[in-house]
Amino acid sequence: MRIAASVLALAAALAGCAQLPKAPPADASAGHLSGRISVTVAGDVHNRSTGGAASFELFGGPEAGRLELTSPLGALVARAEWRPGVASLQTPGEERRFDDLDALTRELLGEPVPVAALFDWLRARPWGAAPHRATPGGFEQLGWRIEPRLPSLVATRLAEPTVTLRARLDGGDEGTP
């Protein structure tokens, strides 16, 4: 199944030795978040959860930016970049293009993750481009339950299959608007 294969491919990439070359530094004034992230997709065809974890650096914003994933051993194993109308995913030995971030995350994880909203969710606030509903301990938006407890975040998709995204930010948040 595509979900399991995509997530297992990500996990294999994160565990492997191959790495990407460093990219030129991003414009820090556009925003920068870093920390650890894990994504779990519940119940694949064998009724087991799948997922992966990595350190991340997130530059830019919802319209244009870059997300870099680093293995526990410090190897840069994936880089996603986006701007209006195109998103790309670079892994060791391969680069792929997509129409948008939703298509990229759907291919990578088997399910879409609203990366544009993550910029606000990681700052413990609803994304301004979509309605939200306050809940005890957080809010619901875009079909996700968001539980921000700075410097951490737990976002759980309310539809099946359940997708849980956990993030813990490092100390700095440069260029916050």
Side-chain angles (χ1 to χ4, degrees):
M1 179 172 209
R2 181 186 293 200
I3 295 172
S6 296
V7 173
L8 291 175
L10 173 62
L14 292 175
C17 297
Q19 70 178 0
L20 294 169
K22 294 288 184 189
D27 178 8
S29 68
H32 174 239
L33 296 168
S34 64
R36 299 254 326 133
I37 191 166
S38 69
V39 177
T40 304
V41 179
D44 68 2
V45 293
H46 301 291
N47 215 16
R48 294 185 314 209
S49 295
T50 57
S55 293
F56 74 91
E57 286 197 82
L58 184 59
F59 302 96
E63 296 80 30
R66 182 170 80 208
L67 171 66
E68 295 182 343
L69 300 176
T70 306
S71 75
L73 298 176
L76 180 60
V77 295
R79 177 183 299 121
E81 294 183 276
W82 60 93
R83 60 185 184 281
V86 67
S88 66
L89 175 65
Q90 187 179 12
T91 57
E94 182 179 34
E95 182 168 351
R96 298 174 63 195
R97 297 204 177 275
F98 302 89
D99 291 336
D100 56 33
L101 279 173
D102 284 345
L104 185 151
T105 60
R106 185 179 301 109
E107 180 68 23
L108 182 65
L109 300 170
E111 298 295 330
V113 173
V115 176
L118 277 179
F119 286 89
D120 285 311
W121 293 356
L122 287 167
R123 292 180 176 107
R125 62 187 184 218
W127 184 38
H132 72 282
R133 182 177 70 85
T135 62
F139 56 92
E140 289 181 4
Q141 188 172 43
L142 301 172
W144 291 70
R145 182 179 52 248
I146 312 306
E147 300 172 61
R149 292 182 193 92
L150 289 177
S152 298
L153 166 80
V154 177
T156 306
R157 189 172 74 172
L158 301 173
E160 293 293 329
T162 302
V163 178
T164 303
L165 180 144
R166 297 178 190 278
R168 180 164 181 83
L169 295 175
D170 291 340
D173 178 5
E174 306 157 16
T176 303

